[in-house]
Amino acid sequence: MQKGKILLVDDEVAFTTSMAKLLRAKGYQVTTAGTGKEAIGFLEAENFDVVVLDLKMPGMDGMATLIEIKKLKLHTETLILTGHGSIDLALESFNLGAYDFLTKPCALNDLLNKIEGAGKKKDVTEKRDLLDGMIRIKG
Amino acid sequence: MRNGFQATDNSQPNGSEKQRKTHYSRLFRRFILLTIVCSLIPLLLVGWGINIHYTRFSNERMINAFQIQVEYHRKIIELFLKKHSSKLHLIAQSHPKDYLLSGSNLNNIFEILNREYRSFTDLGIIGADGYHLKYIGPYDLMPNNYADTFWFKEVMEKDLFISDMFMGFRKVPHFIIAVTRLEKGEKWILRATIETEVFRSLVENVRIGNTGEVYLLNTKGIFQTSPRFSGKIMDKAPTPIESFREGINVRIIEKHTDHHGKKYPRQIYSQTWLKDPPWLLVVKQNYDEAFSEVNHANYATLILLHLSALIILIVAVFITRHMISVIKNRDDEADKLNRQLLQTSKLASIGELSAGVAHEINNPLAIILTEKQILLDMTNDTAATTPEIKGQLSESLEQIDVQIKRCKRITHGLLRFSRRTQSVIETINTNQFISEVIELLEREAGSGGIKFFTDFEENLPNILSDPSQLQQVMLNLITNSIDAHDDKAYGSIHVRTRSNNQQGVEIVVADTGMGISPENMDKIFDPFFTTKPVGKGTGLGLSICYSTIKNLGGDISVWSEVGKGSEFKVFLPFSPPPHLLEGTADNPKDYQMDIATVSS
């Protein structure tokens, strides 16, 4: 089964390192970024399926990063994973187009499920857009 | 931490209660003092002032009246004497001596004089040598020679003489009036004795009250008339006589005892000298009697004055007492409000702090969790370890997992407690809503021998509120109720709904559990306060309920009795505070957040 490409964005290096280890063990391709800026750089360069994004980061925080990501108009889905959970933040991130909102610490299975869901959604939208494009070309 | 919270505000109420009591009694005293200063003292001052003034005025009037009376009496006496001496003068001047001496002429004149009333006792003509030339009267005085008597000399010089009272030849107090006439170079005297009774009655019959007396004294201090009380005619008066003075002299004689040991009360005493003869007219009366009416009026006004002062004082006491009770009630209310405010602000500051802490702890927890997962995976994957070590290792990792979950429960609880969320307001059918919550917990409760009873008011109006927050509150309350039965084999939880006063609904969760001890009552809504064993409760449940319900514009109160159970009463308004209603429309609904539910 083909596993997706994941970009982990968190200023906690220890977290990204160990989480990357775990996800790789589950068969994902994982890239880690320590800041929002770095993440945007990666996203411009490569195609990722899912971005796992922390909200509280020095410099460009999660929300700003999410806005930047949306500006890139990628099919990549963004999953928020943060220690600073609140309904307000969750709602705000949904408004900005996040796929889902998880709070740390979360069980690995939950995270994997969400990543899986996000990946699937990305595939669906990508295919739909592709179809749309083809229809437009045909038409 | 648990103990720390329990030990905080204790043992203060008694001290402040006492302080407050003294504060109120001080306030009471101050109000009374103020009333006295502002109304009683001026009233009394004015009253006393008027009284003193009035007393002085009326005393003056009384003395004036007394003076007038004395003046009147003097006039009467002088008039009497003048009238009689004039009559004698008229007779002496209009009749020659020879005519008077001849036949019954003098007798006729005597008869005419006494025709109206008998005021002359006798009438006689005395020659210059002092012998009676003629005498008409009841006594045999013809042979008497008056040449050596005191009055003879005086009348010969002055032409008119009125004597003092004297006994004379007849041994009866009497006085005489004598006039002279110079006829053909020779003086003769017309002498008459005044009917003593007529003159005395003129003075003695004057009655002034019960204690008043009027009498006459001569220059030597001998009574010329019998006073009513203080002596007899011809006696010497006990008081020394004063020398001649013009006018009427009125004075008050204080209480005294005379040399006979006779006691005299305070008296008003008035005297005036008659011109001729030089007699002293004395009018006196007991002061108390003379001034009784004035005194009565005085007493009446004083009594009225003090009575009204007393009434003012009593009214002031009552009003002040009432005011103090009003103030006390208001203070109590303010206190209650302050306590609530304190609780709210305490919750707010703790909330801010705990939110920060919780956020920061979540990150390391996440790392620990992932590292644990890595370790677990590695343990499962490597074949190098023996099954025994593998078992031990996974057991430890399991324990790490359990503890991380516990931490997570605490941090999530803290976050929920401190949450400043935008509420999602929806229409809620309270009865149905609570039924769903109970359904969630019924299985767990059933296994603990606890039964649910519901008493829902039919047709309970729907309310506008945040269902997810409310669900949290109801879950917490009912979970607490279930936990309250830990030491009992069975029990019941009653949930009741009622509409309240057209303002909202009331949800009551009553259990038959262990109850809350009075000393814990104040603290049950404090964060981290719990009576559950370590690890079983975070102590946040009820404080979350409290802050949530307050946030939704409602109220939560508790009643409990140790051993019998507790009753939590939640009031929810039909509509939440206006600020919660704003922006409801543009928020996505129906999204069930998994961060906000208690991990069971």
Side-chain angles (χ1 to χ4, degrees), chain A:
Chain A
M1 181 188 167
Q2 195 205 335
K3 295 278 184 176
K5 264 178 87 176
I6 298 171
L7 176 62
L8 270 180
V9 190
D10 200 319
D11 58 321
E12 292 255 3
V13 181
F15 180 71
T16 50
T17 315
S18 55
M19 186 52 87
K21 239 186 270 177
L22 260 181
L23 292 175
R24 283 187 193 117
K26 297 291 171 190
Y28 292 96
Q29 279 180 268
V30 184
T31 310
T32 63
T35 64
K37 230 174 195 164
E38 201 182 337
I40 299 295
F42 281 125
L43 283 168
E44 281 170 340
E46 277 178 72
N47 190 17
F48 288 92
D49 293 312
V50 179
V51 178
V52 178
L53 181 63
D54 184 24
L55 283 184
K56 199 180 166 232
M57 288 185 293
M60 193 172 166
D61 74 357
M63 284 298 168
T65 313
L66 183 59
I67 293 165
E68 286 303 312
I69 291 171
K70 283 295 153 187
K71 277 187 192 158
L72 294 175
K73 298 209 185 296
L74 301 169
H75 289 114
T76 311
E77 288 294 333
T78 308
L79 185 60
I80 306 287
L81 176 60
T82 182
H84 301 254
S86 79
I87 289 187
D88 291 342
L89 280 173
L91 291 175
E92 198 184 337
S93 57
F94 287 132
N95 284 340
L96 291 174
Y99 170 72
D100 209 336
F101 190 93
L102 283 173
T103 53
K104 289 180 194 173
C106 81
L108 184 65
N109 278 338
D110 289 346
L111 182 64
L112 290 177
N113 286 340
K114 300 284 179 190
I115 289 174
E116 211 52 42
K120 268 183 194 147
K121 193 182 172 194
K122 185 241 172 189
D123 285 349
V124 169
T125 50
E126 202 171 28
K127 271 180 194 155
R128 198 190 57 206
D129 282 1
L130 214 63
L131 273 172
D132 281 356
M134 279 163 66
I135 288 164
R136 218 171 289 139
I137 291 162
K138 275 189 179 172

Side-chain angles (χ1 to χ4, degrees), chain B residues 43-150:
Chain B
L43 175 79
L44 290 179
L45 281 181
V46 169
W48 288 333
I50 288 175
N51 187 260
I52 287 167
H53 189 77
Y54 173 73
T55 306
R56 196 174 297 157
F57 170 75
S58 48
N59 279 359
E60 264 166 32
R61 287 292 295 265
M62 277 308 292
I63 285 169
N64 260 343
F66 217 77
Q67 241 167 353
I68 288 166
Q69 214 166 12
V70 173
E71 178 73 30
Y72 170 75
H73 284 303
R74 188 179 72 177
K75 284 246 168 77
I76 286 180
I77 293 166
E78 278 179 346
L79 212 66
F80 180 89
L81 294 172
K82 186 95 186 156
K83 189 171 84 185
H84 286 80
S85 50
S86 300
K87 281 179 185 170
L88 292 181
H89 249 297
L90 184 69
I91 296 164
Q93 295 300 326
S94 55
H95 301 84
K97 187 171 77 179
D98 298 339
Y99 172 78
L100 292 173
L101 291 175
S102 66
S104 59
N105 283 345
L106 190 64
N107 202 14
N108 288 343
I109 288 171
F110 183 68
E111 291 294 310
I112 293 163
L113 275 177
N114 278 343
R115 186 171 293 165
E116 244 176 284
Y117 57 87
R118 229 187 116 73
S119 52
F120 292 96
T121 312
D122 56 14
L123 197 64
I125 293 168
I126 296 161
D129 52 0
Y131 280 105
H132 249 140
L133 299 175
K134 192 155 179 107
Y135 172 77
I136 292 160
Y139 305 105
D140 180 22
L141 299 173
M142 273 305 284
N144 289 347
N145 188 330
Y146 294 101
D148 295 330
T149 54
F150 63 95

Side-chain angles (χ1 to χ4, degrees), chain B residues 180-199:
Chain B
T180 56
R181 174 161 179 204
L182 189 66
E183 195 181 355
K184 296 170 202 158
E186 195 190 355
K187 265 190 182 173
W188 56 272
I189 299 164
L190 181 64
R191 185 203 61 87
T193 306
I194 300 298
E195 191 70 51
T196 319
E197 290 307 315
V198 172
F199 178 73

Side-chain angles (χ1 to χ4, degrees), chain A residues 12 14-15 18-19 21-22 26 56 83-88 90-91 94 100 102-108, chain B residues 359-360 362-363 365-367 369-371 373-374 377 404 408 412 415 419-422 588 591 593 595:
Chain A
E12 292 255 3
F15 180 71
S18 55
M19 186 52 87
K21 239 186 270 177
L22 260 181
K26 297 291 171 190
K56 199 180 166 232
H84 301 254
S86 79
I87 289 187
D88 291 342
L91 291 175
F94 287 132
D100 209 336
L102 283 173
T103 53
K104 289 180 194 173
C106 81
L108 184 65
Chain B
H359 281 143
E360 289 314 313
N362 276 345
N363 273 324
L365 279 181
I367 298 168
L369 195 65
T370 45
E371 291 296 336
Q373 193 62 44
I374 292 167
D377 289 353
I404 288 172
K408 182 178 158 185
H412 282 186
L415 288 175
R419 193 169 48 188
R420 301 265 186 285
T421 55
Q422 237 174 334
Y591 196 85
M593 307 304 304
I595 59 158

Side-chain angles (χ1 to χ4, degrees), chain B residues 151-197:
Chain B
W151 59 268
F152 181 80
K153 286 167 194 150
E154 265 192 68
V155 79
M156 287 304 273
E157 282 168 22
K158 283 207 254 167
D159 295 342
L160 170 67
F161 175 71
I162 300 169
S163 74
D164 288 346
M165 285 282 178
F166 67 103
M167 297 307 236
F169 297 108
R170 58 191 87 169
K171 308 299 174 204
V172 169
H174 67 283
F175 75 98
I176 57 158
I177 299 174
V179 294
T180 56
R181 174 161 179 204
L182 189 66
E183 195 181 355
K184 296 170 202 158
E186 195 190 355
K187 265 190 182 173
W188 56 272
I189 299 164
L190 181 64
R191 185 203 61 87
T193 306
I194 300 298
E195 191 70 51
T196 319
E197 290 307 315

